């Protein structure tokens, strides 16, 4: 892709923390000018939701330390709005619709993947550790354009391969009720259902992203669960709001696993509750 | 038939006295020993760590321990006057002493606590050992478990000191209590004193922590109560908490489980425990990057990081002297207050006697322990030493793991297995594997002995004793205070790349 020649790896901040690189591919094609149920153009809802999302991420200490963000927009062509940069160094983001443009969905996805690959290489060269990268693809339509289907096929193939190798986590998000999203629906081999909502409900999706990123970054697993399989000490410490840890977790390398993507957005994975029982313990020995 | 210790000692000319012995002895026998030593004719030697252990104990909360420190200083003076006192200067740990003296001579007797670095080294020395052994047992009394010359003389010693995980901790089950843990609820301690829970401070996977009104000495020290979640109080935790309550460890900067708490009912069911409260930031949220440390503590220089390490290690050493191994140490379990003073948290999972610490963290698990199931195997002073070295490195390098390197593996466990320590020896200037971001400069500005120590631990696999690391850090702090390294006291040197 000549678009990406000379692309640099983005900016870095020195930190011992394991990075979480997230690339957003956002649809700014002509159709995004259309309004949602409350009469607001989708692009405006997207801009505002995204802004709120970035704010929330930045206010979460652990995530603000670890997240690296890039943004690509697509409409007619694919454009890099923001190259990979630590989230607390990102300037204000606002995207404009490119009127009368088509949706080069496949090209955008491939562009995002390339950007993430470049970033990973840079991390390795610098000796920085990172979690499996995330690719968030947000569109309100089907791929359009002369090479659209070819590009989409290539994108799907690449994504499936990377998912199988545990090297990428994809969040395909379909915005709006009017389209089938049959192509977007092919994108991830791991998700059985697409994430779908209209643009005015994007906040719930972004909240889910925020919660998931917190889980990944702060996952503070013990190397071995204790004898009874009760969950280990978890992220939220016993001391107020400090939830951060730079320390990598379990020997099963589960820090590289993506969070479970729920079928409906907003559903957080339920915490495992220990099975209570008194079996072998003589109560009288321990009561007073 | 094992002889009484007074008779046993008469077989020997020299005694090596480890600090763990007098500290853990019951007072009557301790007094007897401390009177006997100056009165007799033995040469008394102590490891290099003795002086550090003295200083650490002199700062204890317990007045008996503080007087013991004074008493031991007096003993030293008494023996020096008679020219019968020797300090193994620079030899901090037990290993060298046990291996050189212990195998060479049968005129020397080692005196130590049954759970101590000394005990561990004697076990490792095995049948080669010829020295006499006088061990302080779990009851605080001296015993001579390896008396006699028989081929199996070490069997008695192993029975006493080669601990295995207490099988009772495997018992399934948890004690359940109907208790709604919230502000205003009441709990009781073992003597039925009532405590009211205050505001909840936080919640974790194990339980919730609340402020409370416990103030036994009227000193106004804030205590907190940890109430375990339902089903969490299994046999291992119960046994451990009970032991911890009995041990009554009290030291500034250690949040020890002091008292168990129960439901306020005729038959009180265990719920959790009381400990000193502390407020501040945990080190995992501080040691994240140089910029963050600078922002949080703008007055800090490198010496403050070094002092932080010293304070923390002193507390670890205090616990080690009683046979308590932390096991699950990590930056997150150290909380630093506004003044920069650290406290050790989450001590309730520490290893006490033969009750294991069932958890561990990848960053702090040495390669030979990566496959170990922690609830089935006891930690050693050896493995603890590796973890401490990682912790010190992380504090000095803003959270960076010593084995993190350019071109490293997917996980830190892989890096630890690879065992490539990317910081070069002096003279050899290859910094190509050091992670980007100016970390190489921290290494360059470190005093040579400090660098050598890290390399001996991470490259040569030597397990330096905690007191040796303490000694080295104290030297580092002094060097910085005296300004002996130009620019050396900077928190960070702002250069991109090595």
């Amino acid at each position: 892709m000549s678009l990406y020649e000379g692309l640099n790896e983005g900016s870095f901040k020195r930190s011992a923390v394991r990075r979480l690189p997230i690339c957003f591919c956002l649809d700014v094609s002509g159709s995004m000018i259309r309004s949602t149920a409350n009469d607001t153009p989708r692009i405006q809802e997207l801009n505002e939701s995204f802004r709120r999302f970035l704010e929330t991420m930045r206010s979460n200490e652990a995530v603000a330390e670890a997240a690296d963000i890039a943004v690509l927009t697509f409409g007619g062509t694919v454009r890099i709005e923001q190259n990979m940069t630590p989230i607390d160094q990102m300037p204000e983001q606002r995207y404009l619709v490119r009127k009368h443009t088509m949706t080069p969905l496949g090209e955008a996805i491939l562009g995002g993947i390339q950007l993430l690959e470049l970033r990973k290489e840079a991390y390795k060269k610098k000796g920085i550790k990172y979690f499996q990268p995330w690719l968030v693809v947000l569109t309100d339509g089907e791929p359009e354009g002369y090479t659209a289907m070819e590009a989409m096929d290539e994108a799907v193939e690449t994504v499936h391969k990377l998912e199988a190798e545990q090297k990428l986590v994809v969040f395909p998000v379909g915005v709006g009720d009017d389209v089938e999203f049959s192509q977007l629906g092919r994108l991830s081999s791991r998700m059985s259902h697409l994430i779908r909502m209209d643009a005015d409900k994007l906040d719930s999706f972004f909240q889910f992203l925020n919660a998931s990123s917190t889980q990944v970054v702060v996952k503070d697993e013990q190397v071995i669960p204790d004898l009874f399989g009760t969950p280990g000490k978890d992220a939220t410490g016993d001391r107020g709001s400090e939830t951060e840890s730079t320390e990598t977790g379990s020997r099963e390398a589960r820090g590289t696993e993506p969070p479970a993507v729920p079928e409906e957005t907003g559903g957080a994975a339920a915490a495992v509750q220990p099975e209570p029982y008194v079996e072998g313990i003589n109560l009288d020995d321990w009561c007073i | 038939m094992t002889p009484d210790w007074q008779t046993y000692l008469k077989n020997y000319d020299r005694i090596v006295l480890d600090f763990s012995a007098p500290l853990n002895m019951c007072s009557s026998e301790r007094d007897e020993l401390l009177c006997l030593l100056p009165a007799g004719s033995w040469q008394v030697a102590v490891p290099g760590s003795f002086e550090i252990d003295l200083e650490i104990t002199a700062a204890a909360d317990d007045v008996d321990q503080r007087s013991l420190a004074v008493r031991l200083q007096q003993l030293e003076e008494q023996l020096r006057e008679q020219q019968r006192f020797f300090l193994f200067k620079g030899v901090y740990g037990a290993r060298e002493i046990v291996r050189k003296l212990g195998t060479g001579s049968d005129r020397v007797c080692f005196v130590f606590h049954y759970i101590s670095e000394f005990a561990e080294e004697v076990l490792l020395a095995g049948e080669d050992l010829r020295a006499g052994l006088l061990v302080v047992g779990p009851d605080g009394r001296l015993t001579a478990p390896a008396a006699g010359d028989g081929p199996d003389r070490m069997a008695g010693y192993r029975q006493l000191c080669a601990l295995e995980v207490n099988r009772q901790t495997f018992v399934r089950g948890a004690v359940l209590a109907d208790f709604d843990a919230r502000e205003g609820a009441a709990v009781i301690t073992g003597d039925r004193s009532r405590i009211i829970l205050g505001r909840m401070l936080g919640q974790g996977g194990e339980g919730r922590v609340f402020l409370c009104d416990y103030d036994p000495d009227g000193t106004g020290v804030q205590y907190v109560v940890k109430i375990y979640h339902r089903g969490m109080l299994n046999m291992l935790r119960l046994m451990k908490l009970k032991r911890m309550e009995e041990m009554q460890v009290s030291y500034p900067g250690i949040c020890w489980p002091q008292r168990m708490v129960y439901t306020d009912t005729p038959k009180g069911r265990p719920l959790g425990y009381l400990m000193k409260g502390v407020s501040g930031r945990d080190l995992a949220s501080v040691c994240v990057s140089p910029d963050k440390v600078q922002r949080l503590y703008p007055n800090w220089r490198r010496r403050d990081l070094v002092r932080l390490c010293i304070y923390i290690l002193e507390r670890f050493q205090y616990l080690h002297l009683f046979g308590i191994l932390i096991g699950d140490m990590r930056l997150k379990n150290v909380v630093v207050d506004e003044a920069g003073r650290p406290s050790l948290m989450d001590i309730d999972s520490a290893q006490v006697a033969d009750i294991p610490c069932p958890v561990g963290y990848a960053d702090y698990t040495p390669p030979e322990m990566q496959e170990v199931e922690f609830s089935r195997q006891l930690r050693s002073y050896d493995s603890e030493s590796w973890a401490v070295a990682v912790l010190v490195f992380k504090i000095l390098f803003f959270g960076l793991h010593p084995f993190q390197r350019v071109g490293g593996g997917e996980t830190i466990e892989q890096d630890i297995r690879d065992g490539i320590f990317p910081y070069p020896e002096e003279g050899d200037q290859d910094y190509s594997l050091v992670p980007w971001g100016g970390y190489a400069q921290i290494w360059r500005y470190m005093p040579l002995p400090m660098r050598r120590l890290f390399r001996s631990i991470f490259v040569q696999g030597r397990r330096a004793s905690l007191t040796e690391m303490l000694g080295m850090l104290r030297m580092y702090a002094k060097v910085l205070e005296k300004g002996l390294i130009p620019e050396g006291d900077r928190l960070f040197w702002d250069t991109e790349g090595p």
Side-chain angles (χ1 to χ4, degrees), chain B residues 20 23-24 113-117 163 247 317-326 351-354 381:
Chain B
S20 63
L23 192 61
N24 287 285
H113 182 48
Y114 83 112
I115 309 177
S116 62
E117 226 189 309
L163 295 181
M247 290 179 86
Q317 177 63 7
Y318 182 76
L319 294 172
H320 280 193
L321 286 172
F322 292 98
I324 302 161
L325 296 178
I326 288 87
Q351 176 172 301
V352 194
D354 57 359
Y381 283 87

PDB file of all heavy atoms in Angstrom, chain B residues 20 23-24 113-117 163 247 317-326 351-354 381:
ATOM      1  N   SER B  20      19.210 -15.004  64.313  1.00  0.00           N
ATOM      2  CA  SER B  20      17.883 -15.628  64.414  1.00  0.00           C
ATOM      3  C   SER B  20      17.753 -16.448  65.697  1.00  0.00           C
ATOM      4  O   SER B  20      16.650 -16.681  66.182  1.00  0.00           O
ATOM      5  CB  SER B  20      17.632 -16.529  63.202  1.00  0.00           C
ATOM      6  OG  SER B  20      18.573 -17.591  63.177  1.00  0.00           O
ATOM      7  N   LEU B  23      16.969 -14.169  68.923  1.00  0.00           N
ATOM      8  CA  LEU B  23      15.701 -13.496  68.666  1.00  0.00           C
ATOM      9  C   LEU B  23      14.504 -14.409  68.887  1.00  0.00           C
ATOM     10  O   LEU B  23      13.441 -13.974  69.346  1.00  0.00           O
ATOM     11  CB  LEU B  23      15.680 -12.960  67.232  1.00  0.00           C
ATOM     12  CG  LEU B  23      14.556 -11.998  66.864  1.00  0.00           C
ATOM     13  CD1 LEU B  23      14.605 -10.747  67.712  1.00  0.00           C
ATOM     14  CD2 LEU B  23      14.639 -11.627  65.399  1.00  0.00           C
ATOM     15  N   ASN B  24      14.663 -15.679  68.589  1.00  0.00           N
ATOM     16  CA  ASN B  24      13.545 -16.614  68.661  1.00  0.00           C
ATOM     17  C   ASN B  24      13.553 -17.502  69.899  1.00  0.00           C
ATOM     18  O   ASN B  24      12.674 -18.340  70.071  1.00  0.00           O
ATOM     19  CB  ASN B  24      13.513 -17.498  67.402  1.00  0.00           C
ATOM     20  CG  ASN B  24      13.036 -16.753  66.172  1.00  0.00           C
ATOM     21  OD1 ASN B  24      11.847 -16.486  66.015  1.00  0.00           O
ATOM     22  ND2 ASN B  24      13.967 -16.391  65.304  1.00  0.00           N
ATOM     23  N   HIS B 113      18.188 -20.515  64.386  1.00  0.00           N
ATOM     24  CA  HIS B 113      16.761 -20.834  64.477  1.00  0.00           C
ATOM     25  C   HIS B 113      16.420 -21.901  63.444  1.00  0.00           C
ATOM     26  O   HIS B 113      17.019 -21.926  62.363  1.00  0.00           O
ATOM     27  CB  HIS B 113      15.974 -19.551  64.215  1.00  0.00           C
ATOM     28  CG  HIS B 113      14.481 -19.675  64.303  1.00  0.00           C
ATOM     29  ND1 HIS B 113      13.825 -20.304  65.339  1.00  0.00           N
ATOM     30  CD2 HIS B 113      13.515 -19.225  63.482  1.00  0.00           C
ATOM     31  CE1 HIS B 113      12.520 -20.222  65.149  1.00  0.00           C
ATOM     32  NE2 HIS B 113      12.300 -19.572  64.027  1.00  0.00           N
ATOM     33  N   TYR B 114      15.472 -22.759  63.747  1.00  0.00           N
ATOM     34  CA  TYR B 114      15.190 -23.893  62.840  1.00  0.00           C
ATOM     35  C   TYR B 114      14.652 -23.465  61.482  1.00  0.00           C
ATOM     36  O   TYR B 114      14.722 -24.219  60.516  1.00  0.00           O
ATOM     37  CB  TYR B 114      14.247 -24.912  63.526  1.00  0.00           C
ATOM     38  CG  TYR B 114      12.762 -24.617  63.466  1.00  0.00           C
ATOM     39  CD1 TYR B 114      11.902 -25.412  62.728  1.00  0.00           C
ATOM     40  CD2 TYR B 114      12.211 -23.542  64.175  1.00  0.00           C
ATOM     41  CE1 TYR B 114      10.534 -25.165  62.686  1.00  0.00           C
ATOM     42  CE2 TYR B 114      10.859 -23.285  64.136  1.00  0.00           C
ATOM     43  CZ  TYR B 114      10.016 -24.094  63.386  1.00  0.00           C
ATOM     44  OH  TYR B 114       8.671 -23.831  63.345  1.00  0.00           O
ATOM     45  N   ILE B 115      14.084 -22.236  61.387  1.00  0.00           N
ATOM     46  CA  ILE B 115      13.752 -21.691  60.065  1.00  0.00           C
ATOM     47  C   ILE B 115      14.580 -20.428  59.884  1.00  0.00           C
ATOM     48  O   ILE B 115      14.287 -19.387  60.469  1.00  0.00           O
ATOM     49  CB  ILE B 115      12.268 -21.299  59.934  1.00  0.00           C
ATOM     50  CG1 ILE B 115      11.358 -22.431  60.365  1.00  0.00           C
ATOM     51  CG2 ILE B 115      11.955 -20.906  58.491  1.00  0.00           C
ATOM     52  CD1 ILE B 115       9.877 -22.052  60.320  1.00  0.00           C
ATOM     53  N   SER B 116      15.641 -20.554  59.103  1.00  0.00           N
ATOM     54  CA  SER B 116      16.528 -19.412  58.878  1.00  0.00           C
ATOM     55  C   SER B 116      17.417 -19.729  57.687  1.00  0.00           C
ATOM     56  O   SER B 116      17.472 -20.873  57.228  1.00  0.00           O
ATOM     57  CB  SER B 116      17.396 -19.157  60.108  1.00  0.00           C
ATOM     58  OG  SER B 116      18.231 -20.280  60.361  1.00  0.00           O
ATOM     59  N   GLU B 117      18.094 -18.716  57.229  1.00  0.00           N
ATOM     60  CA  GLU B 117      19.018 -18.917  56.115  1.00  0.00           C
ATOM     61  C   GLU B 117      20.073 -19.960  56.498  1.00  0.00           C
ATOM     62  O   GLU B 117      20.443 -20.812  55.696  1.00  0.00           O
ATOM     63  CB  GLU B 117      19.724 -17.588  55.842  1.00  0.00           C
ATOM     64  CG  GLU B 117      19.774 -17.216  54.399  1.00  0.00           C
ATOM     65  CD  GLU B 117      20.671 -16.025  54.157  1.00  0.00           C
ATOM     66  OE1 GLU B 117      20.491 -15.000  54.854  1.00  0.00           O
ATOM     67  OE2 GLU B 117      21.556 -16.146  53.309  1.00  0.00           O
ATOM     68  N   LEU B 163      11.442 -28.711  56.528  1.00  0.00           N
ATOM     69  CA  LEU B 163       9.991 -28.603  56.606  1.00  0.00           C
ATOM     70  C   LEU B 163       9.324 -28.988  55.299  1.00  0.00           C
ATOM     71  O   LEU B 163       9.860 -28.733  54.220  1.00  0.00           O
ATOM     72  CB  LEU B 163       9.595 -27.161  56.949  1.00  0.00           C
ATOM     73  CG  LEU B 163      10.015 -26.657  58.313  1.00  0.00           C
ATOM     74  CD1 LEU B 163       9.527 -25.224  58.488  1.00  0.00           C
ATOM     75  CD2 LEU B 163       9.456 -27.518  59.422  1.00  0.00           C
ATOM     76  N   MET B 247       1.804 -15.044  66.661  1.00  0.00           N
ATOM     77  CA  MET B 247       3.155 -14.515  66.536  1.00  0.00           C
ATOM     78  C   MET B 247       3.267 -13.044  66.919  1.00  0.00           C
ATOM     79  O   MET B 247       4.330 -12.588  67.315  1.00  0.00           O
ATOM     80  CB  MET B 247       3.663 -14.698  65.096  1.00  0.00           C
ATOM     81  CG  MET B 247       3.921 -16.143  64.741  1.00  0.00           C
ATOM     82  SD  MET B 247       4.470 -16.322  63.048  1.00  0.00           S
ATOM     83  CE  MET B 247       6.222 -16.052  63.266  1.00  0.00           C
ATOM     84  N   GLN B 317      13.761  -8.316  55.955  1.00  0.00           N
ATOM     85  CA  GLN B 317      14.746  -9.009  56.777  1.00  0.00           C
ATOM     86  C   GLN B 317      14.190  -9.266  58.174  1.00  0.00           C
ATOM     87  O   GLN B 317      14.409 -10.332  58.744  1.00  0.00           O
ATOM     88  CB  GLN B 317      16.049  -8.201  56.851  1.00  0.00           C
ATOM     89  CG  GLN B 317      17.145  -8.783  57.730  1.00  0.00           C
ATOM     90  CD  GLN B 317      17.656 -10.139  57.259  1.00  0.00           C
ATOM     91  OE1 GLN B 317      17.293 -10.628  56.181  1.00  0.00           O
ATOM     92  NE2 GLN B 317      18.492 -10.760  58.070  1.00  0.00           N
ATOM     93  N   TYR B 318      13.452  -8.308  58.691  1.00  0.00           N
ATOM     94  CA  TYR B 318      12.845  -8.497  60.011  1.00  0.00           C
ATOM     95  C   TYR B 318      11.946  -9.733  60.007  1.00  0.00           C
ATOM     96  O   TYR B 318      12.019 -10.584  60.878  1.00  0.00           O
ATOM     97  CB  TYR B 318      12.038  -7.257  60.400  1.00  0.00           C
ATOM     98  CG  TYR B 318      11.411  -7.340  61.771  1.00  0.00           C
ATOM     99  CD1 TYR B 318      12.179  -7.170  62.922  1.00  0.00           C
ATOM    100  CD2 TYR B 318      10.049  -7.602  61.923  1.00  0.00           C
ATOM    101  CE1 TYR B 318      11.607  -7.246  64.184  1.00  0.00           C
ATOM    102  CE2 TYR B 318       9.470  -7.678  63.177  1.00  0.00           C
ATOM    103  CZ  TYR B 318      10.252  -7.497  64.306  1.00  0.00           C
ATOM    104  OH  TYR B 318       9.691  -7.583  65.557  1.00  0.00           O
ATOM    105  N   LEU B 319      11.122  -9.848  58.996  1.00  0.00           N
ATOM    106  CA  LEU B 319      10.248 -11.013  58.883  1.00  0.00           C
ATOM    107  C   LEU B 319      11.066 -12.279  58.681  1.00  0.00           C
ATOM    108  O   LEU B 319      10.790 -13.313  59.293  1.00  0.00           O
ATOM    109  CB  LEU B 319       9.258 -10.824  57.728  1.00  0.00           C
ATOM    110  CG  LEU B 319       8.237  -9.696  57.909  1.00  0.00           C
ATOM    111  CD1 LEU B 319       7.442  -9.470  56.631  1.00  0.00           C
ATOM    112  CD2 LEU B 319       7.292  -9.990  59.061  1.00  0.00           C
ATOM    113  N   HIS B 320      12.095 -12.201  57.866  1.00  0.00           N
ATOM    114  CA  HIS B 320      12.939 -13.377  57.610  1.00  0.00           C
ATOM    115  C   HIS B 320      13.580 -13.909  58.881  1.00  0.00           C
ATOM    116  O   HIS B 320      13.784 -15.106  59.031  1.00  0.00           O
ATOM    117  CB  HIS B 320      14.052 -13.028  56.605  1.00  0.00           C
ATOM    118  CG  HIS B 320      13.577 -13.024  55.194  1.00  0.00           C
ATOM    119  ND1 HIS B 320      14.434 -12.998  54.121  1.00  0.00           N
ATOM    120  CD2 HIS B 320      12.341 -13.044  54.665  1.00  0.00           C
ATOM    121  CE1 HIS B 320      13.734 -13.001  52.991  1.00  0.00           C
ATOM    122  NE2 HIS B 320      12.464 -13.030  53.286  1.00  0.00           N
ATOM    123  N   LEU B 321      13.918 -13.003  59.788  1.00  0.00           N
ATOM    124  CA  LEU B 321      14.551 -13.422  61.037  1.00  0.00           C
ATOM    125  C   LEU B 321      13.633 -14.313  61.867  1.00  0.00           C
ATOM    126  O   LEU B 321      14.087 -15.097  62.687  1.00  0.00           O
ATOM    127  CB  LEU B 321      14.979 -12.198  61.858  1.00  0.00           C
ATOM    128  CG  LEU B 321      16.209 -11.467  61.332  1.00  0.00           C
ATOM    129  CD1 LEU B 321      16.428 -10.173  62.110  1.00  0.00           C
ATOM    130  CD2 LEU B 321      17.454 -12.348  61.439  1.00  0.00           C
ATOM    131  N   PHE B 322      12.340 -14.182  61.645  1.00  0.00           N
ATOM    132  CA  PHE B 322      11.387 -15.022  62.380  1.00  0.00           C
ATOM    133  C   PHE B 322      10.944 -16.221  61.565  1.00  0.00           C
ATOM    134  O   PHE B 322      10.000 -16.907  61.925  1.00  0.00           O
ATOM    135  CB  PHE B 322      10.162 -14.191  62.785  1.00  0.00           C
ATOM    136  CG  PHE B 322      10.477 -13.156  63.810  1.00  0.00           C
ATOM    137  CD1 PHE B 322      10.710 -11.844  63.443  1.00  0.00           C
ATOM    138  CD2 PHE B 322      10.559 -13.494  65.152  1.00  0.00           C
ATOM    139  CE1 PHE B 322      11.014 -10.879  64.386  1.00  0.00           C
ATOM    140  CE2 PHE B 322      10.862 -12.535  66.112  1.00  0.00           C
ATOM    141  CZ  PHE B 322      11.092 -11.232  65.733  1.00  0.00           C
ATOM    142  N   GLY B 323      11.590 -16.439  60.435  1.00  0.00           N
ATOM    143  CA  GLY B 323      11.219 -17.573  59.595  1.00  0.00           C
ATOM    144  C   GLY B 323      10.013 -17.296  58.717  1.00  0.00           C
ATOM    145  O   GLY B 323       9.402 -18.212  58.192  1.00  0.00           O
ATOM    146  N   ILE B 324       9.632 -16.037  58.583  1.00  0.00           N
ATOM    147  CA  ILE B 324       8.497 -15.680  57.736  1.00  0.00           C
ATOM    148  C   ILE B 324       9.024 -15.268  56.361  1.00  0.00           C
ATOM    149  O   ILE B 324       9.829 -14.354  56.246  1.00  0.00           O
ATOM    150  CB  ILE B 324       7.714 -14.491  58.338  1.00  0.00           C
ATOM    151  CG1 ILE B 324       7.237 -14.833  59.746  1.00  0.00           C
ATOM    152  CG2 ILE B 324       6.530 -14.103  57.443  1.00  0.00           C
ATOM    153  CD1 ILE B 324       6.875 -13.615  60.577  1.00  0.00           C
ATOM    154  N   LEU B 325       8.552 -15.965  55.330  1.00  0.00           N
ATOM    155  CA  LEU B 325       8.950 -15.619  53.969  1.00  0.00           C
ATOM    156  C   LEU B 325       7.752 -15.027  53.251  1.00  0.00           C
ATOM    157  O   LEU B 325       6.642 -15.541  53.378  1.00  0.00           O
ATOM    158  CB  LEU B 325       9.453 -16.867  53.226  1.00  0.00           C
ATOM    159  CG  LEU B 325      10.715 -17.505  53.798  1.00  0.00           C
ATOM    160  CD1 LEU B 325      11.094 -18.747  53.015  1.00  0.00           C
ATOM    161  CD2 LEU B 325      11.881 -16.520  53.767  1.00  0.00           C
ATOM    162  N   ILE B 326       7.953 -13.973  52.494  1.00  0.00           N
ATOM    163  CA  ILE B 326       6.820 -13.272  51.897  1.00  0.00           C
ATOM    164  C   ILE B 326       6.198 -14.088  50.770  1.00  0.00           C
ATOM    165  O   ILE B 326       4.996 -14.256  50.702  1.00  0.00           O
ATOM    166  CB  ILE B 326       7.206 -11.860  51.385  1.00  0.00           C
ATOM    167  CG1 ILE B 326       7.444 -10.927  52.567  1.00  0.00           C
ATOM    168  CG2 ILE B 326       6.101 -11.261  50.551  1.00  0.00           C
ATOM    169  CD1 ILE B 326       8.798 -10.932  53.115  1.00  0.00           C
ATOM    170  N   GLN B 351       4.362 -16.861  53.944  1.00  0.00           N
ATOM    171  CA  GLN B 351       4.609 -18.219  54.408  1.00  0.00           C
ATOM    172  C   GLN B 351       5.038 -18.181  55.873  1.00  0.00           C
ATOM    173  O   GLN B 351       5.974 -17.485  56.239  1.00  0.00           O
ATOM    174  CB  GLN B 351       5.725 -18.858  53.581  1.00  0.00           C
ATOM    175  CG  GLN B 351       6.131 -20.240  54.052  1.00  0.00           C
ATOM    176  CD  GLN B 351       7.088 -20.882  53.074  1.00  0.00           C
ATOM    177  OE1 GLN B 351       6.758 -21.073  51.908  1.00  0.00           O
ATOM    178  NE2 GLN B 351       8.273 -21.197  53.548  1.00  0.00           N
ATOM    179  N   VAL B 352       4.344 -18.917  56.708  1.00  0.00           N
ATOM    180  CA  VAL B 352       4.661 -18.958  58.128  1.00  0.00           C
ATOM    181  C   VAL B 352       4.917 -20.409  58.506  1.00  0.00           C
ATOM    182  O   VAL B 352       4.050 -21.246  58.285  1.00  0.00           O
ATOM    183  CB  VAL B 352       3.462 -18.442  58.968  1.00  0.00           C
ATOM    184  CG1 VAL B 352       3.908 -18.173  60.371  1.00  0.00           C
ATOM    185  CG2 VAL B 352       2.875 -17.206  58.373  1.00  0.00           C
ATOM    186  N   ALA B 353       6.096 -20.697  59.041  1.00  0.00           N
ATOM    187  CA  ALA B 353       6.482 -22.071  59.403  1.00  0.00           C
ATOM    188  C   ALA B 353       6.206 -22.992  58.209  1.00  0.00           C
ATOM    189  O   ALA B 353       6.764 -22.790  57.142  1.00  0.00           O
ATOM    190  CB  ALA B 353       5.749 -22.521  60.658  1.00  0.00           C
ATOM    191  N   ASP B 354       5.324 -23.994  58.381  1.00  0.00           N
ATOM    192  CA  ASP B 354       5.101 -24.924  57.273  1.00  0.00           C
ATOM    193  C   ASP B 354       3.789 -24.658  56.550  1.00  0.00           C
ATOM    194  O   ASP B 354       3.259 -25.519  55.846  1.00  0.00           O
ATOM    195  CB  ASP B 354       5.148 -26.370  57.785  1.00  0.00           C
ATOM    196  CG  ASP B 354       4.123 -26.605  58.890  1.00  0.00           C
ATOM    197  OD1 ASP B 354       3.402 -25.649  59.257  1.00  0.00           O
ATOM    198  OD2 ASP B 354       4.041 -27.752  59.383  1.00  0.00           O
ATOM    199  N   TYR B 381      14.684 -19.329  51.389  1.00  0.00           N
ATOM    200  CA  TYR B 381      15.383 -18.042  51.442  1.00  0.00           C
ATOM    201  C   TYR B 381      16.040 -17.774  50.099  1.00  0.00           C
ATOM    202  O   TYR B 381      16.166 -16.640  49.653  1.00  0.00           O
ATOM    203  CB  TYR B 381      16.434 -18.063  52.557  1.00  0.00           C
ATOM    204  CG  TYR B 381      15.822 -17.894  53.926  1.00  0.00           C
ATOM    205  CD1 TYR B 381      15.357 -18.995  54.645  1.00  0.00           C
ATOM    206  CD2 TYR B 381      15.690 -16.636  54.503  1.00  0.00           C
ATOM    207  CE1 TYR B 381      14.762 -18.841  55.892  1.00  0.00           C
ATOM    208  CE2 TYR B 381      15.105 -16.467  55.760  1.00  0.00           C
ATOM    209  CZ  TYR B 381      14.640 -17.583  56.437  1.00  0.00           C
ATOM    210  OH  TYR B 381      14.049 -17.431  57.670  1.00  0.00           O
TER     211      TYR B 381
END
